[in-house]
Amino acid sequence: MRTILLATTALLLTAAAPKPLTPPDLIAAAPASAWRAIPADDLLVLDLKSGTRIVIQLAPAFAPVHVANIRALARSRWWDGAAIYRVQDNYVAQWGHNDERKMPPGVVARPPAEYDRAVRGLAITPFPYRDAYAPAAGFAGGWPVAVRGARANLTHCYATVGVGRDLAPDTGTGGELYSIISGAPRALDRNIAIVGRVISGIEAMSSLPRGPAPMGFYKDRSSDTPIATTRLASDIPPAERPSFEVMDTASPTFARLVRLRANRHDAFYERPAGGVDLCNAPVPVRAKP
Amino acid sequence: MRTILLATTALLLTAAAPKPLTPPDLIAAAPASAWRAIPADDLLVLDLKSGTRIVIQLAPAFAPVHVANIRALARSRWWDGAAIYRVQDNYVAQWGHNDERKMPPGVVARPPAEYDRAVRGLAITPFPYRDAYAPAAGFAGGWPVAVRGARANLTHCYATVGVGRDLAPDTGTGGELYSIISGAPRALDRNIAIVGRVISGIEAMSSLPRGPAPMGFYKDRSSDTPIATTRLASDIPPAERPSFEVMDTASPTFARLVRLRANRHDAFYERPAGGVDLCNAPVPVRAKP
């Protein structure tokens, strides 16, 4: 009976019931044409001292100068010896060196405020539901965006990666980064440079002990989570480098997935919401088959 | 310089800048008249074997039969020896016994589906911003609610506590509970009984290792987080019992707080959102001064 109960309990809060169609079913059945390879230059690979690997997809179309800085920092191994030094519950995990060490050549000391960008040049697939923060939203090149007139911005969703900064006009260099480990703190949108998202290993950040000092800083460095190396996948030998694909947000499969997330009819759901939050319609990413 | 940088870095992503007014400033300055004591009967106190205490505020106005069950289970010490046995990243932590042990007398085996309730009888303060899931939202007696015509339901926000159940028509007894440790999975609204929220110690659940099995179940019980005792505060000697206050969601202070969360002007914020998600406007709770 125990096994049966576990099996039935396993249906609790899940999207794994076999039929009707669930989001995981739809993603698993997506045709190859619905997937796009992520360039190795857009994959930032953090290997923790523990051996755990965290992979971040960079967003050069939205924060080109910050992303160029991050690539330069990775190539110069600037982050060697860096650590996760701040974990604030229901908010962020933050990493880097948290000191004033010198930046290597090629890093722009004061990047522009790449907090949003022109809609022109982006192919935006409209998000069909209400957004609580912007008059319109959508997806562009695999990324969720909020749209205000002629401007679009990446949104702070779970696993979004942004650039720590001091007060304006400072925009941060990219040396100190944070990842969202909570509900979507969308008030940060258009106030900070979003440079990507964690696509593998976010749980290695979200499950860390919260820091006891104000804003989740650890009281001493011995509490930090050390990062062994931070490299671009393109700097890792092809045989060893991770490789990922992202779903084409302009594909019929993705449009269907968003509608399905707003209208769950699988076993557990008796009353579909008829809508979904932009951040609760994450863009599927998978390790390359 | 390190200290200075820490001090300035401390402004990163924070709401703690001294002026202009921040949400914490406003909460700290709230008059006594803006606070309501939480009845000791509405406080469920989980003491983990580790010594960590987690306190849950129950919501009898929304799920009376399930809450009555939970009180009966606590009074009979049914949860002694229970554990947190499931932690799914960006979703839930779930606890209880996860077996089929007998319920004590007074526990309703098949409670009604207390997934929403009549608006009649609730004093609802309207939420002034868009909700992504319901046509309207608000706050009633200290709780966020989504409103659809004559019906209102509690919403799945960070730290919301709900009742694990099997497939409908089962609604769960209250013996297996979960807490949201992620962004707001609002698709669960009106599909499951919400019985309260964690008001102290949520980080003891959100920072637990994620379970490796499907849906975050741990592979063996040795990975569980044991719970020593689960009691109502009213069953703890007055001198030792925890005591909390919740902000009156009908108070001018709370109305001002919601507007302030939607329009951050403090140091870090250059561009206020002009809106806020219902779950990003949490109702303040404090230990009784």
Side-chain angles (χ1 to χ4, degrees):
Chain A
M1 290 303 283
R2 178 77 196 295
T3 320
I4 290 163
L5 185 71
L6 248 180
T8 53
T9 305
L11 289 163
L12 167 63
L13 300 180
T14 177
K19 43 175 62 78
L21 194 71
T22 67
D25 297 335
L26 183 54
I27 293 166
S33 61
W35 297 95
R36 300 280 176 267
I38 299 175
D41 242 13
D42 290 353
L43 293 177
L44 189 68
V45 182
L46 280 64
D47 288 318
L48 303 183
K49 270 226 174 88
S50 66
T52 300
R53 173 165 285 184
I54 296 168
V55 182
I56 293 166
Q57 178 187 10
L58 299 172
F62 292 87
V65 179
H66 286 87
V67 167
N69 273 4
I70 288 167
R71 288 174 173 149
L73 290 167
R75 292 196 167 116
S76 73
R77 294 302 190 88
W78 187 83
W79 278 296
D80 285 5
I84 303 169
Y85 54 78
R86 174 195 178 195
V87 183
Q88 181 170 1
D89 193 59
N90 193 28
Y91 207 7
V92 297
Q94 185 178 324
W95 69 94
H97 287 295
N98 196 25
D99 61 22
E100 292 176 321
R101 74 189 54 201
K102 196 160 161 299
M103 288 279 145
V107 171
V108 177
R110 289 203 163 278
E114 301 174 308
Y115 302 159
D116 61 3
R117 59 154 285 169
V119 163
R120 168 176 296 184
L122 290 178
I124 300 178
T125 302
F127 180 65
Y129 303 107
R130 278 191 301 276
D131 183 65
Y133 289 85
F139 296 90
W143 299 91
V145 292
V147 181
R148 292 173 175 83
R151 307 291 295 176
N153 62 275
L154 292 179
T155 54
H156 279 84
C157 297
Y158 188 74
T160 293
V161 174
V163 175
R165 66 165 172 90
D166 197 351
L167 295 184
D170 173 42
T171 66
T173 57
E176 309 301 312
L177 297 170
Y178 64 87
S179 175
I180 301 303
I181 58 167
S182 70
R186 297 277 308 274
L188 294 172
D189 293 359
R190 305 187 307 144
N191 284 285
I192 198 157
I194 292 175
V195 291
R197 62 186 163 205
V198 176
I199 58 173
S200 179
I202 182 66
E203 64 280 2
M205 290 183 172
S206 59
S207 64
L208 289 172
R210 281 34 179 167
M215 292 175 314
F217 284 92
Y218 291 122
K219 284 195 167 131
D220 55 78
R221 304 309 301 257
S222 66
S223 304
D224 290 356
T225 299
I227 299 170
T229 66
T230 300
R231 298 171 291 175
L232 292 169
S234 50
D235 294 331
I236 298 175
E240 301 155 35
R241 73 175 55 154
S243 186
F244 288 87
E245 295 181 324
V246 59
M247 189 173 280
D248 177 0
T249 47
S251 68
T253 302
F254 185 72
R256 193 172 166 211
L257 177 62
V258 172
R259 287 193 305 271
L260 185 60
R261 288 200 184 280
N263 299 284
R264 296 292 298 274
H265 287 285
D266 42 295
F268 189 79
Y269 293 86
E270 298 297 306
R271 293 192 287 185
V276 63
D277 185 86
L278 182 68
C279 288
N280 283 342
V283 178
V285 172
R286 66 177 184 182
K288 206 163 182 174
Chain B
M1 290 306 282
R2 178 77 197 296
T3 319
I4 290 165
L5 185 69
L6 248 181
T8 52
T9 304
L11 288 162
L12 169 62
L13 299 179
T14 179
K19 45 174 63 80
L21 195 72
T22 67
D25 297 334
L26 183 56
I27 294 166
S33 61
W35 297 95
R36 300 280 176 268
I38 299 175
D41 244 12
D42 290 352
L43 293 176
L44 189 68
V45 182
L46 281 63
D47 287 317
L48 303 182
K49 271 225 172 90
S50 64
T52 300
R53 172 165 285 184
I54 296 167
V55 182
I56 293 166
Q57 178 187 10
L58 300 171
F62 291 88
V65 179
H66 285 88
V67 167
N69 273 4
I70 288 166
R71 287 174 175 149
L73 291 167
R75 292 196 168 116
S76 73
R77 294 303 190 88
W78 187 83
W79 277 296
D80 285 5
I84 302 170
Y85 54 78
R86 174 196 178 194
V87 183
Q88 181 170 359
D89 192 59
N90 193 26
Y91 207 7
V92 298
Q94 185 177 324
W95 69 95
H97 288 295
N98 196 25
D99 60 23
E100 291 176 321
R101 74 188 54 201
K102 197 161 160 300
M103 289 278 144
V107 171
V108 177
R110 290 203 163 277
E114 301 175 308
Y115 303 157
D116 62 3
R117 58 155 287 167
V119 163
R120 168 177 296 183
L122 291 177
I124 299 178
T125 302
F127 179 65
Y129 303 107
R130 278 191 301 278
D131 183 65
Y133 288 85
F139 296 90
W143 299 91
V145 293
V147 181
R148 291 174 177 82
R151 307 291 294 176
N153 62 276
L154 293 180
T155 55
H156 280 84
C157 297
Y158 188 74
T160 293
V161 174
V163 174
R165 66 166 171 91
D166 196 351
L167 296 184
D170 174 40
T171 67
T173 56
E176 310 301 312
L177 297 170
Y178 64 86
S179 175
I180 300 301
I181 58 168
S182 68
R186 296 278 308 276
L188 293 172
D189 294 1
R190 305 188 308 145
N191 284 285
I192 199 157
I194 291 175
V195 291
R197 63 185 162 207
V198 176
I199 58 174
S200 179
I202 182 65
E203 65 280 4
M205 291 184 170
S206 59
S207 63
L208 289 173
R210 282 32 178 166
M215 292 176 314
F217 283 91
Y218 291 122
K219 285 196 167 131
D220 55 80
R221 304 311 298 260
S222 66
S223 304
D224 290 357
T225 299
I227 299 170
T229 66
T230 300
R231 297 171 292 175
L232 291 168
S234 50
D235 293 331
I236 299 174
E240 302 155 36
R241 75 174 55 154
S243 185
F244 288 87
E245 294 181 326
V246 59
M247 188 172 281
D248 177 1
T249 47
S251 67
T253 302
F254 184 71
R256 193 172 167 211
L257 177 62
V258 172
R259 287 194 306 271
L260 186 60
R261 289 201 184 277
N263 299 283
R264 297 292 298 275
H265 287 284
D266 42 295
F268 188 79
Y269 293 86
E270 299 297 306
R271 293 193 286 185
V276 63
D277 184 86
L278 182 68
C279 288
N280 283 343
V283 178
V285 172
R286 66 177 184 182
K288 208 165 183 174

